[in-house]
């Protein structure tokens, strides 16, 4: 057993926790979360030196990080009469929205952030019922796939990523939740996994997302087209590290997301598949 914990599995587990907010370690809500369950403001993500202090047992026993939002979900009341809740569901790009200094997460809107840093679509699929369906939203905005391409939880083909995204969308539709599928943000290199040249895979995955959204009545939210530079990545003004949006990056994304949400809530097929 010791050999497993000190080998590749240990490295994989630690990599997936590299950007996990500190309060995720215990699954406890913060004071800000208690005051306003629609908006959580966790402590800063772990830096590389802190990663080693995260209990490996936690990574092995809660791989999808179900504990991260368990208390927050329990404290979140059902949507009020007439309220059209929206869940933003994703990885660090979603997790940081409104939680990174200088960013704002849709003030006054009944929107709930359920992003977890470092996650892949496989992890998100496992927690989809707990962190999306059970919250009774009218719509969900799904932004995921870049960490799969980076290999955060092991090698993943585009077909595997598409299967996970398709499954999340199907779960949403069968529960009457309207679906917004966001494009993967442009990226030309991953600081934690350099040399993968992901821009082409990102474009290919986004082409599939656009077609799948069209075929199923979902709304396609095109961040990529608005943020991509000539190299297929993002300029430093939008993402200082090439992956995670700056406040300017989130400010560019916000109206695009709001338009997509408005379109999803105004029409579409809701929880039903479109007629063939």
């Amino acid at each position: 057993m010791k050999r497993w914990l000190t080998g590749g599995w240990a490295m994989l587990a630690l990599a997936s926790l590299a950007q996990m907010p500190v309060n995720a370690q215990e699954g406890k809500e913060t004071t800000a979360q208690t005051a306003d369950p629609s908006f959580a403001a966790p402590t800063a993500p772990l830096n590389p030196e802190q990663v080693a202090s995260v209990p490996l047992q936690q990574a092995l026993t809660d791989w999808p990080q179900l504990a991260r939002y368990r208390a927050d979900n329990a404290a979140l009341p059902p949507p009020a009469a007439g309220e059209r809740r929206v869940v933003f569901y994703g990885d660090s790009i979603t997790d940081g929205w409104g939680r990174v200094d200088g960013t704002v997460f849709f003030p006054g809107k009944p929107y709930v952030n359920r992003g977890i840093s470092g996650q892949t679509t496989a992890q998100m699929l496992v927690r989809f019922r707990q962190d999306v369906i059970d919250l009774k939203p009218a719509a969900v905005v799904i932004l995921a796939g870049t960490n799969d391409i980076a290999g955060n939880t092991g090698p993943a083909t585009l077909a595997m990523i598409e299967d996970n995204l398709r499954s999340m969308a199907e779960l949403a539709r069968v529960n009457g939740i309207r679906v917004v599928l966001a494009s993967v943000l442009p990226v030309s290199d991953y600081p934690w996994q350099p040399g993968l040249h992901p821009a082409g895979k990102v474009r290919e995955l986004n082409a599939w997302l656009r077609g799948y959204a069209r075929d199923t009545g979902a709304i396609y939210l095109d961040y990529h087209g608005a943020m991509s530079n000539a190299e297929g990545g993002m300029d430093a003004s939008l993402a200082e590290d090439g992956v995670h949006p700056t406040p300017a990056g989130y400010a560019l994304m916000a109206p695009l997301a709001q338009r997509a949400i408005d379109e999803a809530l105004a029409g579409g097929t809701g929880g039903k598949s479109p007629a063939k």
Side-chain angles (χ1 to χ4, degrees), residues 2 21 42 48 51 56 58 107 133 157 167 192 210 218 270 272:
K2 183 178 181 182
V51 171
L56 181 59
Q58 176 188 324
I133 296 171
T157 65
S167 294
W192 66 95
R210 185 190 293 272
K272 300 179 181 180

Side-chain angles (χ1 to χ4, degrees), residues 249-266:
Y250 283 117
L252 179 60
M253 293 165 65
L256 299 176
Q258 188 59 62
R259 281 198 293 272
I261 291 167
D262 290 344
E263 185 177 354
L265 295 179

Side-chain angles (χ1 to χ4, degrees), residues 158-169:
L158 288 179
M160 292 164 62
I161 304 169
E162 291 162 9
D163 283 347
N164 292 332
L165 290 165
R166 184 185 292 111
S167 294
M168 284 187 269

Side-chain angles (χ1 to χ4, degrees), residues 26-233:
E26 299 178 358
K28 295 180 179 178
E29 59 183 339
T30 62
T31 301
Q33 290 168 323
T34 303
D36 183 358
S38 297
F39 175 75
T43 52
L46 295 177
N47 60 44
E49 289 74 24
Q50 291 173 306
V51 171
S53 68
V54 176
L56 181 59
Q57 187 66 19
Q58 176 188 324
L60 297 177
T61 58
D62 189 13
W63 176 72
Q65 299 175 48
L66 295 171
R68 167 70 189 277
Y69 289 113
R70 185 173 288 137
D72 298 339
N73 292 342
L76 186 67
E83 177 183 315
R84 308 190 82 181
R85 176 175 291 165
V86 177
V87 173
F88 278 67
Y89 196 59
D91 50 38
S92 58
I93 295 166
T94 299
D95 198 355
W97 204 335
R99 298 167 178 170
V100 170
D101 288 344
T103 67
V104 177
F105 185 71
F106 301 95
K109 297 286 188 178
Y111 297 172
V112 180
N113 187 328
R114 288 297 180 263
I116 295 184
S117 296
Q119 285 215 325
T120 59
T121 56
Q123 292 169 300
M124 289 173 58
L125 179 56
V126 174
R127 66 183 182 91
F128 193 82
R129 181 168 298 278
Q130 171 188 292
D131 289 345
V132 178
I133 296 171
D134 290 349
L135 304 187
K136 309 298 183 184
V140 60
V141 179
I142 302 172
L143 172 55
T146 199
N147 287 329
D148 301 67
I149 293 172
N152 278 23
T153 52
T157 65
L158 288 179
M160 292 164 62
I161 304 169
E162 291 162 9
D163 283 347
N164 292 332
L165 290 165
R166 184 185 292 111
S167 294
M168 284 187 269
E170 289 174 354
L171 283 168
R173 285 198 303 272
V174 79
N175 284 279
I177 302 167
R178 296 186 177 180
V179 179
V180 175
L181 291 170
S183 69
V184 176
L185 269 59
V187 56
S188 56
D189 202 14
Y190 295 109
W192 66 95
Q193 194 72 282
L196 291 182
H197 308 292
K201 285 188 176 181
V202 168
R203 284 191 289 265
E204 189 175 347
L205 179 57
N206 285 340
W208 177 85
L209 279 164
R210 185 190 293 272
Y212 179 75
R214 180 191 61 240
D215 293 343
T216 60
I219 302 301
Y220 178 67
L221 168 52
D222 187 11
Y223 292 134
H224 191 280
M227 303 179 79
S228 181
N229 60 22
E231 290 74 41

